[in-house]
Amino acid sequence: MKPQINFVVALQNEANPLIKYYKLKLLHHYPFKVYKNDNMWLIVSKVGSKMIKKACIHLSEISNSHLYTVWLNIGTAGHLNYPLGKLVIGNKIIDDYSKATYYPSQIIKGKLTSISIRTLHNKLKKYNEKEIFDMEASGFFYICSKISINEFICSLKIISDNKEFPDFNNKTISSLFTKSLKDINLIVDEFYKLSKKQCILTYPNDELEKFLNKWHFTFTQTFQLKKNLNKLRFLNPKVDFFYKSSSYKNSKEVLNFLEKELMKND
């Protein structure tokens, strides 16, 4: 297991500055354009929540992503009065259609402004001050939360339109991204360091074997066990969760206990 960054962007004009900056090479065109270097992958999903869900699944499969792969959705968004080109980070994601709500951890945010992102499925009708508007963040977080952990999922948005300049101009996107690259890279560097650290601290196999030897876990339960133990090791590296689980009678009780331990840290 090695540290890894997975970029997910909707438009080719958003991708191009990142491709150039990180010296990514085209891997394939279909079903999505995918680029990579030694420890970074980038996929161009096309616009919309449904498309980004499919793209995240595809990238997860071909990149051999793991629990500590960093998933970064970098795209554009609208706001009432933020200036064009301002880089912000999502601290809450709301799907405007389903009303599903997600809360990124904000473990890394640098000096960026944190704000709520509302993901739309139709054209924006009215801006407001409390949130920014995009078309991908909720689909991105929905999928990535199933294949990674919250602390390694992040949505960065560059303001592309506002009340004064409401017309989204695809031709200016690359220049807005290029101007934000240094700030984006500060976030990327911090996430990479965190991914590297956690790859080293991944729950040891011999510790995992203690659980598997004491209780019977199905294939699905084993996957959930690994995920929960690795999350808990990240949050509480000094705690012996096998010892704390030892009084439980079966795998279901153990998993319920570990889930409750995770909820304490939310």
Side-chain angles (χ1 to χ4, degrees), residues 54-71:
K54 293 178 181 179
C56 288
I57 292 170
H58 179 68
L59 186 57
S60 174
E61 291 171 348
I62 66 170
S63 69
N64 295 316
S65 69
H66 50 77
L67 202 59
Y68 300 125
T69 294
V70 177
W71 289 84

Side-chain angles (χ1 to χ4, degrees), residues 215-230:
W215 300 279
H216 172 71
F217 291 86
T218 66
F219 177 82
T220 301
Q221 285 178 324
T222 301
F223 177 81
Q224 191 62 45
L225 175 67
K226 289 180 182 178
K227 185 175 181 179
N228 288 349
L229 289 175
N230 281 319

Side-chain angles (χ1 to χ4, degrees), residues 4-7 68-72 148 152-153 191-192 195:
Q4 181 174 316
I5 304 287
N6 282 1
F7 295 107
Y68 300 125
T69 294
V70 177
W71 289 84
L72 290 173
S148 187
F152 289 81
I153 308 169
F191 269 116
Y192 185 81
S195 178

